[in-house]
Amino acid sequence: MRQYGPDLTPPWKKSRPAPEIPADPDLVVEVAGTDFCGAVVACEGGTVTLEDRFGRRRVFPLEPRGFLLEGAVVTLVRPSRAPAAPARTASGSIAVPGARARVARAGRIYVEGRHDAELVERVWGDDLRIEGVVVEYLSGVDDLPAIVAEFSPGPDARLGVLVDHLVEGSKESRLAARVSSPDVLVVGHPYVDVWQAVKPSALGIPAWPVVPRGQDWKTGVCRALGWPENTGAAWRHVLSRVTSYRDLEPALLGRVEELIDFVTGDGGA
């Protein structure tokens, strides 16, 4: 006696599985059994949202054989997630998870003041630790030639110096000109104070105020912006609004990157 399974449908009448197509954005499909045709605008859970040429949107379940693609029956499935982009440090470099800080190099980067050092640490701190570069701050650069001589730079101990307001004719430019060594790089930004290297848009202000000559610049900024005349608190506010290199002006970004490259380059180990 012939035994029959539960499915008595002849093989030639059985429907073949429809190809599975990821419901990627902008894919145009027709909903089977309807006259609705549209592009994928969202795919969440077990549904897909289509938008037709009139801008009308409708939500449909992701049912097997539920759609037509160029006239052929298909099964839409959720698109696979794209590979996550590599994590980035605040400076924009590719992060190295779990990386340990390198033993400090003999080379150093000097900056003028504590605010400069804190801003560099905020954006480049992860990179500097991996490279083993220590940033130290000076109390001004009036004694820059003597400071450089005391450091005793050499091919294995390069020195990079970041100077505020390094513009032609300034006191800082004259001091920088007195430093001449192939193992020392002195660069600077044009701003009176490193605060100005933070983009006004990061702080929600149209521009940094112009402070009259003879007036303390930081205090003048606080007055002009209506901030309490507490420059320490004002700086903490400014620094808190810096989350990445995008919040800084290119004139500072380029100079710090230049110093890091110099100190970590050949001969700077």
Side-chain angles (χ1 to χ4, degrees):
M1 184 176 180
R2 182 177 296 179
Q3 298 293 323
Y4 293 96
D7 185 358
L8 303 180
T9 305
W12 63 87
K13 289 189 177 181
K14 291 183 178 180
S15 59
R16 295 179 180 178
E20 293 186 347
I21 305 296
D24 293 323
D26 298 326
L27 177 71
V28 178
V29 294
E30 182 180 348
V31 182
T34 75
D35 59 358
F36 191 88
C37 179
V40 174
V41 294
C43 186
E44 300 174 346
T47 65
V48 61
T49 302
L50 304 179
E51 181 179 290
D52 68 9
R53 62 192 181 94
F54 301 107
R56 295 175 300 194
R57 295 188 177 189
R58 290 179 60 182
V59 179
F60 300 93
L62 291 175
E63 294 179 343
R65 303 177 63 84
F67 302 87
L68 302 177
L69 177 60
E70 297 181 351
V73 177
V74 297
T75 296
L76 287 188
V77 297
R78 294 185 65 182
S80 57
R81 289 176 177 255
R88 298 277 176 172
T89 66
S91 71
S93 301
I94 296 177
V96 183
R100 294 184 177 182
R102 176 174 170 167
V103 175
R105 295 172 181 264
R108 291 287 188 274
I109 292 177
Y110 286 168
V111 298
E112 278 207 45
R114 181 170 59 85
H115 293 178
D116 306 68
E118 289 175 345
L119 188 59
V120 169
E121 162 62 26
R122 184 138 186 125
V123 175
W124 288 275
D126 290 338
D127 308 63
L128 293 169
R129 280 183 283 278
I130 289 176
E131 295 290 350
V133 178
V134 175
V135 174
E136 299 180 10
Y137 70 86
L138 313 169
S139 296
V141 292
D142 289 347
D143 298 320
L144 183 60
I147 291 170
V148 171
E150 182 179 357
F151 181 82
S152 299
D156 295 325
R158 288 181 170 180
L159 177 63
V161 184
L162 179 68
V163 178
D164 295 344
H165 198 229
L166 190 60
V167 296
E168 186 175 356
S170 67
K171 174 191 72 174
E172 291 81 3
S173 67
R174 292 191 292 272
L175 288 168
R178 293 171 57 191
V179 177
S180 59
S181 167
D183 301 307
V184 179
L185 176 64
V186 180
V187 299
H189 56 74
Y191 309 114
V192 174
D193 192 278
V194 77
W195 289 23
Q196 286 181 294
V198 178
K199 290 181 178 178
S201 58
L203 296 164
I205 59 176
W208 285 102
V210 176
V211 178
R213 284 180 174 273
Q215 184 177 348
D216 177 73
W217 189 85
K218 293 185 177 74
T219 302
V221 165
C222 292
R223 289 173 181 167
L225 295 176
W227 295 351
E229 292 184 24
N230 181 331
T231 57
W235 168 244
R236 288 192 293 274
H237 169 68
V238 171
L239 187 63
S240 71
R241 303 303 295 269
V242 177
T243 59
S244 79
Y245 71 96
R246 295 183 180 87
D247 299 317
L248 301 182
E249 298 286 0
L252 176 67
L253 292 174
R255 302 297 73 76
V256 175
E257 296 284 354
E258 190 176 354
L259 290 175
I260 294 174
D261 289 345
F262 178 78
V263 173
T264 60
D266 293 341

